[in-house]
Amino acid sequence: MAFSPLVDQLITALRCLPGVGPKSAQRMALHLLERNREGGFRLSQILDQALEQVGQCQSCRTLTEEPICGLCRSERRDNSLLCVVETPADQIAMEQAGGFNGRYFVLTGHLSPIDGIGPDSLGLPLLAERLSQGVVQELILATNPTVEGEATAHYIADMIEHLPIKVTRLAHGIPIGGELEYIDGGTLSRALAGRLPMV
Amino acid sequence: MAFSPLVDQLITALRCLPGVGPKSAQRMALHLLERNREGGFRLSQILDQALEQVGQCQSCRTLTEEPICGLCRSERRDNSLLCVVETPADQIAMEQAGGFNGRYFVLTGHLSPIDGIGPDSLGLPLLAERLSQGVVQELILATNPTVEGEATAHYIADMIEHLPIKVTRLAHGIPIGGELEYIDGGTLSRALAGRLPMV
């Protein structure tokens, strides 16, 4: 025996959320039904509305319900700096870290031929067009330090080799507050290779 | 800077789910928007439908979209045994454990005067009426072994003292597979007090 059909369907539907297994899904369904119907209704409505309306910014490809996102419309950002990130979450992480005042371009993924994700899926033609306009002076490739992220960064660097644009990559090294003893060898050797004079 | 207003609202709405903090909610929202819009639409629809239609079984108070739940309608259960549990999840746990073939009564909580949860909120008048019909021979009080659960069990036992019904409580003791060394003193002393002759 299990729950009634509709409750079971709700538990199954909740499992589309990342990190939610059968036990959490059951807990969520019962919580909403027993204790927070109002919150559940609001979630159902907002979810429907967001899925209906949120698309990609025509300029930077981040998630937004407007044609052009707030950051691309802002007049206080430096147009000569463009930072390429893999996802909207990476963009937010960069913004929250502070220290960057340029524009963004969101790939929404990385090159992965095996999954059919090529340059077009990442909006690289749009990026190339934007870079060819001569406004951007420096392109920061902030893709993840994974094999796919590196490959994507190299692909983009090759793609714009003929343009007079400085291409940079985020520095690798020891995280702030990290202890040498517990840092992996790869990171440590990159930190050594990239050592800087002490001021 | 943060996400666009609608994406932010979705992240906030997802936090009504139990165990979901700001980071998980962001991950869920981006996952649905970027990779699983279909699953998100289905979730939104089923959630709305379940909140609209699921109510309490008129007989046992468990969650169901029908007037009387499947278990109460079943003709293969023993009417003389009634098991009182706190929540629908407890009922499912009892069913999955096996070994019980009677009916259930779901309190949907425990007595908690400080939160305004009294006998009426737990459906105790309905329970008393059902027990006074003379069909139930044994009432198993399977509320949780917490202060509130015990208090609720005692209240119910007192309420039906005048009826010729055997009232029982789930046994306390060592969990199967547990090791004496790691079991708390309270459980161990209950297990000792409730020791049984070896057959």
Side-chain angles (χ1 to χ4, degrees), chain B residues 29-108:
Chain B
L30 295 179
H31 175 86
L32 293 178
L33 289 168
E34 290 181 302
R35 278 190 288 278
N36 195 358
R37 293 205 174 214
E38 209 179 301
F41 271 123
R42 200 166 46 236
L43 173 58
S44 163
Q45 279 162 18
I46 298 265
L47 181 54
D48 190 67
Q49 201 185 338
L51 291 168
E52 223 31 279
Q53 298 176 15
V54 172
Q56 288 183 338
C57 169
Q58 286 166 17
S59 168
C60 77
R61 291 170 46 95
T62 197
L63 290 170
T64 176
E65 65 270 28
E66 295 166 290
I68 303 283
C69 74
L71 205 145
C72 285
R73 285 200 317 270
S74 165
E75 286 174 6
R76 292 188 303 188
R77 310 287 300 204
D78 184 349
N79 280 318
S80 70
L81 271 176
L82 186 67
C83 179
V84 173
V85 291
E86 290 188 21
T87 65
D90 293 346
Q91 181 191 8
I92 298 294
M94 284 290 293
E95 275 299 289
Q96 282 171 353
F100 180 70
N101 192 36
R103 307 278 181 185
Y104 289 92
F105 188 85
V106 182
L107 300 173
T108 65

Side-chain angles (χ1 to χ4, degrees), chain B residues 1 10-11 16 23 25 34 40 50 81 97-98 116 133 160 176 179 187:
Chain B
M1 119 116 204
L10 176 57
I11 293 173
C16 76
K23 271 280 169 188
E34 290 181 302
L81 271 176
Q133 287 163 3
I160 58 158
I176 300 295
E179 291 184 54
T187 302

Side-chain angles (χ1 to χ4, degrees), chain A residues 1-7 9-10 13-14 16-20 26-28 30-34 36-37 39-41 43-44 46-55 63-65 71 87-89 91-92 95, chain B residues 1-7 9-10 13-14 16-20 26-28 30-34 36-37 39-41 43-44 46-55 63-65 71 87-89 91-92 95:
Chain A
M1 119 116 203
F3 293 100
S4 72
L6 199 50
V7 178
Q9 279 175 46
L10 176 57
L14 280 163
C16 76
L17 297 171
V20 175
Q26 176 184 318
R27 192 162 140 246
M28 288 173 171
L30 295 179
H31 175 85
L32 293 178
L33 289 168
E34 291 180 302
N36 195 358
R37 295 205 171 212
F41 272 123
L43 173 58
S44 162
I46 298 265
L47 181 55
D48 190 67
Q49 201 185 338
L51 290 168
E52 214 46 271
Q53 297 176 15
V54 172
L63 290 170
T64 176
E65 65 271 27
L71 204 144
T87 64
Q91 181 191 7
I92 298 294
E95 276 299 289
Chain B
M1 119 116 204
F3 293 100
S4 71
L6 199 51
V7 179
Q9 280 175 45
L10 176 57
L14 280 163
C16 76
L17 297 171
V20 175
Q26 176 183 318
R27 192 162 139 247
M28 288 173 172
L30 295 179
H31 175 86
L32 293 178
L33 289 168
E34 290 181 302
N36 195 358
R37 293 205 174 214
F41 271 123
L43 173 58
S44 163
I46 298 265
L47 181 54
D48 190 67
Q49 201 185 338
L51 291 168
E52 223 31 279
Q53 298 176 15
V54 172
L63 290 170
T64 176
E65 65 270 28
L71 205 145
T87 65
Q91 181 191 8
I92 298 294
E95 275 299 289

Side-chain angles (χ1 to χ4, degrees), chain A residues 127-148:
Chain A
L127 176 64
E129 190 200 313
R130 182 153 164 194
L131 293 172
S132 68
Q133 289 164 0
V135 180
V136 176
Q137 307 287 309
E138 180 177 352
L139 182 71
I140 302 168
L141 296 172
T143 52
N144 287 321
T146 56
V147 175
E148 296 87 353

